Amino acid sequence: ALDYYDKCSTYRDLAKIQTPTFVLSSYDDPFIDIQDYLNGEWSTYVHRTLLKHGGHMGYLNKVPHPKHGRRWLMCYLDRVLS
């Protein structure tokens, strides 16, 4: 499995990103080690948000937001990009 992840990973390309990009992850993600985000060489076009909790794909909220439903990411981006 490690060989697969090494060959298929995009970590070698993170510094090459030239499109504004938003990366969201959490320290308690059970699939992607937070060290991958902390130790990667990132392009200045990438905005990383690393939350303490959230698990994998933690962008869905339990309580619906009046404007965005269960997708808190849309609410967050409204605040960040406004």
Side-chain angles (χ1 to χ4, degrees):
L2 292 178
D3 182 56
Y4 167 81
Y5 286 110
D6 185 56
K7 289 180 179 173
C8 295
S9 178
T10 59
Y11 70 89
R12 291 179 207 78
D13 299 319
L14 297 173
K16 299 175 189 174
I17 295 172
Q18 295 184 9
T19 301
T21 303
F22 179 80
V23 174
L24 171 67
S25 191
S26 66
Y27 281 78
D28 64 352
D29 187 319
F31 299 109
I32 302 172
D33 190 327
I34 196 67
Q35 294 305 315
D36 293 343
Y37 294 102
L38 298 175
N39 297 332
E41 292 184 37
W42 294 85
S43 162
T44 58
Y45 287 94
V46 178
H47 174 81
R48 291 179 298 164
T49 296
L50 305 174
L51 303 174
K52 188 173 183 179
H53 299 288
H56 192 70
M57 303 299 286
Y59 59 86
L60 294 176
N61 195 7
K62 290 181 182 179
V63 179
H65 183 275
K67 183 177 175 186
H68 302 291
R70 296 191 182 278
R71 300 200 178 271
W72 73 261
L73 178 58
M74 297 306 294
C75 184
Y76 174 81
L77 289 176
D78 267 355
R79 289 193 316 252
V80 171
L81 299 176
S82 295

